[in-house]
Amino acid sequence: MLRMDDRYRNNANLYQGAKDIAREVNQVSDDYRYQDGNYERYAPSDGYHHDGNEPTQEEDAQSDATEGHDEDDEVYEGEYQGIPHPDDIKGKQKKKAPAMADEFRDKAELIAERMEDEEQLAHQYENIIEECGHGRFQWTLFFVLGLALMADGVEVFVVGFVLPSAEKDMCLSSSNKGMLGLIVYLGMMVGTVIWGGLADKLGRRKCLIISLAINAAFAFLSSFVQGYGFFLFCRLISGFGIGGSLPIVFAYFSEFLSREKRGEHLSWLCMFWMIGGIYASAMAWSIIPHYGWGFSMGTRYHFHSWRVFVIVCALPCISSLVALKFMPESPRFLLEIGKHDEAWMILKQVHDTNMRAKGEPERVFTVAHIKTPKQIDEFIEIQSSTGTWYQRWLVRFTTMFKQVWDNLLYCLTAQYRMNTLILAVVWFSMAFSYYGLTVWFPDMIRYLQNEEYESRLKIFEREHIDHFTFNFTVENQIHRNGAFVNDKFTKMKFKYVTFEDVLFEECYFEDVTAIETFFKNCTIISTVFYNTDLYEHKFIECRFINCTFLDQKEGCHLDFEQENDFLIYLVSFLGSLSVLPGNIISALLMDKIGRIKMIGGSMLISAVCCFFLFFGNSESAMIGLQCLFCGTSIAAWNALDVITVELYPTSKRSTAFGILNGLCKVGAILGNSIFASFVGITKVVPILLASSALVAGGLLALRLPETREQVLM
């Protein structure tokens, strides 16, 4: 790879000549200058195209005086001597001059010219989008991209809902459970940065289609795999794919919206994340508890109902993927990379679609020419005949990586450094508090349930039972210093039962399932265990005399009658539904009170709500407080999405959103880990951590610039 301006760096004479040519070219291209906020190349509103070459009255008079005299009929005296006409030479010089000038001009000068072009394009594009109107096309794209955003919301909830079933189906240990909950966030963290960067180079639509295809494929595959390692890998890649949804969706949709519609309609789009949570909760509630919704193939392969739930959760992603095939690329992105004609055709399509829907098909798209920013080619593409195929791909990969990396660094340049750092702190503090508390709420509810469950514990001392058949569930009991003689335990369950210093003599256990059941210091004589899951680790310091174990159950077994899971589904459903009022309020007020006040106010109100958690001493109180917190904090999330889109130019928009959303996932991981460790220990630390982070982020957000009146750069 060679830089184009390095070829002639030492040739002073040629450089001076190029500068002279550039001055001449600048005079020729004055008709593209932007003066007083107007574009001379922008078509006027009379519906006709004017190219700026209309004859004046003097020219009309001159043409009348020379009527019948054609200058082209004159013979140039040097024509028969092979000497070209001076006008032909001048025309060729004008055509060649721009290409020659770009080769010799300094890169900083080219960048400055591109920035000036981008500013002109921003204002012209705003006028074009207003002419296209807001109608059927935007609403169609709204629902298509909404499904992609809904898929992101579903992905966050899936693992949490399947974990209670998956841990028993796959025999997961506590450490494995923690890794399964963490792996999705890790995949999303990496994916959002990579896909955000690629979307600014390859295109919004293309990258979104690829990322959703990866998510759908591996989410579908994860429902069939039996091993823990492969399931973990599939969820990691699935999270990596869906990580591209947030940064691309908001950048993509914002580039079809006018300034007066942008804040409101991006906020409406955020509702699909809430819909994703409601969808996941409702499907989990209706599918997972039904054992009959699965099948088995032999003794090794089991497809339980939670796997059906995983497939159903992939449907929003698949639906969005199919619909995106019929949607165009962002014209704003195409203009940034110099594809004027493609962008013009898409904008005309938007205009015509909206006008037909409004009953005005006769309305003509009056835009004839759109300003295209200066294209700066830093690298020469390797020829297809050069090197081997993997060398060419390596060159393309390194080129793309450098361009994405340069975009990442651009977000930290002097112009954007302060805004990027403030947004990073606000995103992190918001995610740390929100995701930390949304995990802490269900864990606290489980803890309160366990406390209530333990309060109903029954203790039996020195009981003696002879010749009795147990064919029902024995639950939440402790038996001490008792004796069971000639008893049968058939087709029954032990749930949270402990036997301490108990004698079992000539008993018979058949088809018994034990959940959190242990035998401590027991004496077992002449007893048969047939088709049970009473494994060795469940007998602690016990003595066996003439006992037989036959056909022990293999693997782990699901319990579809756990009542606690139903309440967790209900809590998640209500938590997702509670953000609906906040979504509506933020959408209606986003363009009235501004993004900054929305972020600061929402975060400070959420911080105050955290202190009410000290009074959450029951399940119903915790559910109500969770709904209150989620409902007040959603406005800050919506405003953050809007201002992040508006603060960065088109060529860096998805990249910046991806970086900040990646930091958001880091905050989510830390919040989940830290807050969960204090469940059952103290409420003070999680409440203080969450409220402090929200106050700090809310106050710092007030230093950001307001963007509701600015055009999309």
Side-chain angles (χ1 to χ4, degrees), residues 606-657:
S606 300
V608 174
C609 292
C610 289
F611 287 99
F612 289 105
L613 297 177
F614 283 111
F615 304 101
N617 297 319
S618 65
E619 296 176 22
S620 57
M622 293 301 296
I623 293 174
L625 291 171
Q626 180 187 10
C627 294
L628 178 64
F629 176 77
C630 293
T632 55
S633 61
I634 192 63
W637 281 118
N638 294 354
L640 264 179
D641 293 332
V642 175
I643 197 172
T644 302
V645 164
E646 294 175 334
L647 273 178
Y648 295 91
T650 301
S651 58
K652 312 294 186 296
R653 184 169 296 123
S654 292
T655 302
F657 205 118

Side-chain angles (χ1 to χ4, degrees), residues 34 37 74 98 108 115 122 130 155 263 265 308 322 349 353 379 395 446 455 508 519 524 549 551 682 694 708 712:
Y34 174 76
E74 291 185 356
M115 292 178 66
E130 289 180 358
E155 189 74 19
H265 287 270
V308 178
V322 173
Q349 175 189 349
T353 301
F379 298 95
V395 168
R446 288 191 185 97
S455 68
Y508 182 75
F519 298 79
I524 305 172
F549 289 85
D551 295 335
T682 178
L694 288 170
R708 58 176 167 168
L712 207 62

Side-chain angles (χ1 to χ4, degrees), residues 406-447:
D406 288 343
N407 269 6
L408 293 175
L409 296 180
Y410 183 86
C411 297
L412 296 175
T413 56
Q415 183 180 1
Y416 296 101
R417 184 183 301 122
M418 185 55 65
N419 290 339
T420 301
L421 293 178
I422 293 176
L423 279 174
V425 174
V426 176
W427 272 92
F428 180 88
S429 61
M430 191 68 200
F432 178 79
S433 304
Y434 181 85
Y435 287 102
L437 285 179
T438 51
V439 169
W440 184 74
F441 280 119
D443 287 347
M444 278 299 299
I445 292 173
R446 288 191 185 97
Y447 175 75

Side-chain angles (χ1 to χ4, degrees), residues 509-636:
F509 291 81
E510 181 182 358
D511 196 13
V512 175
T513 302
I515 300 171
E516 295 297 322
T517 297
F518 300 96
F519 298 79
K520 298 181 179 179
N521 198 29
C522 296
T523 300
I524 305 172
I525 303 172
S526 301
T527 297
V528 177
F529 297 88
Y530 176 76
N531 191 28
T532 70
D533 64 352
L534 297 174
Y535 306 121
E536 183 178 354
H537 72 275
K538 296 184 179 182
F539 297 93
I540 303 172
E541 297 181 359
C542 294
R543 294 178 297 279
F544 294 91
I545 300 174
N546 195 27
C547 296
T548 304
F549 289 85
L550 300 173
D551 295 335
Q552 293 285 84
K553 292 181 182 289
E554 296 182 359
C556 301
H557 303 277
L558 296 176
D559 179 19
F560 291 91
E561 298 178 2
Q562 289 284 357
E563 297 178 359
N564 291 358
D565 292 340
F566 289 97
L567 185 58
I568 297 305
Y569 304 148
L570 177 62
V571 169
S572 299
F573 179 84
L574 293 177
S576 299
L577 189 62
S578 65
V579 305
L580 179 60
N583 266 315
I584 296 174
I585 293 173
S586 65
L588 297 177
L589 299 180
M590 186 69 70
D591 291 319
K592 292 181 173 61
I593 68 174
R595 290 76 161 123
I596 305 305
K597 293 179 181 178
M598 185 75 71
I599 297 173
S602 176
M603 293 183 75
L604 293 176
I605 294 174
S606 300
V608 174
C609 292
C610 289
F611 287 99
F612 289 105
L613 297 177
F614 283 111
F615 304 101
N617 297 319
S618 65
E619 296 176 22
S620 57
M622 293 301 296
I623 293 174
L625 291 171
Q626 180 187 10
C627 294
L628 178 64
F629 176 77
C630 293
T632 55
S633 61
I634 192 63

Side-chain angles (χ1 to χ4, degrees), residues 9 44 46 80 87 133 159 193 201 210 295-296 316 331 348 394 404 412 464 542 548-549 559 580 656 668 671 682:
R9 181 173 295 171
D46 58 5
Y80 298 107
D87 292 338
V159 172
V193 176
K201 292 300 176 183
I210 296 174
F295 62 89
S296 297
K348 185 178 185 301
L394 180 62
V404 172
L412 296 175
H464 190 92
C542 294
T548 304
F549 289 85
D559 179 19
L580 179 60
T682 178

